[in-house]
Amino acid sequence: AVFSEVGADVPFAYSNQSTDADALIGWFVIERTFEALSSGEFTLESSVPINDNLKAANDTGAVASTEVDATYTYGQLLEYVVRERDLSAINHLIQETGGLNEFNLWLNESGYFATRLTAPLS
């Protein structure tokens, strides 16, 4: 949760404790991906090659179960994030929008200063 003082530009954290990210981080990834779409970095129909290193461990979703050298569109990956909470799809969208460091920078610049990832989801 993010709390802000009335009139303040910067939110403050209720609790300064780390917690493992789960599929809820997908909503941040969706927002970041749509910002990249809006700026013209790619389209919903652009292809994304599936990287075995970005498949989440023990993930049974569509992306993790795909064959070698498969590709999906950004639209398909976004759909898997929303419908199935597909962690491997989330990992691919993070990578395609700049990787973990860029994603963490975007989170900070967007006011989510207490939210960050240290490794791909698994």
Side-chain angles (χ1 to χ4, degrees):
V2 175
F3 300 91
S4 295
E5 247 181 85
V6 174
D9 292 334
V10 179
F12 59 90
Y14 176 73
S15 176
N16 193 21
Q17 298 179 4
S18 294
T19 184
D20 288 338
D22 63 8
L24 292 177
I25 197 75
W27 295 108
F28 295 99
V29 174
I30 290 168
E31 182 180 357
R32 170 68 182 111
T33 303
F34 273 102
E35 283 185 11
L37 282 164
S38 294
S39 69
E41 292 179 37
F42 47 81
T43 68
L44 286 173
E45 294 78 29
S46 299
S47 293
V48 177
I50 301 305
N51 180 338
D52 282 342
N53 293 329
L54 295 175
K55 292 180 179 179
N58 300 318
D59 187 0
T60 59
V63 176
S65 304
T66 194
E67 67 277 356
V68 177
D69 297 327
T71 60
Y72 287 95
T73 65
Y74 283 91
Q76 289 171 315
L77 291 176
L78 286 164
E79 184 177 336
Y80 289 132
V81 172
V82 172
R83 283 181 157 195
E84 300 178 12
R85 295 189 275 175
D86 190 312
L87 298 179
S88 296
I90 293 171
N91 285 340
H92 280 81
L93 290 173
I94 290 170
Q95 184 63 34
E96 290 296 314
T97 55
L100 284 176
N101 290 336
E102 285 295 318
F103 182 66
N104 287 331
L105 180 62
W106 174 84
L107 285 167
N108 192 35
E109 290 172 348
S110 299
Y112 307 118
F113 67 94
T115 304
R116 69 183 138 279
L117 292 176
T118 56
L121 301 174
S122 62

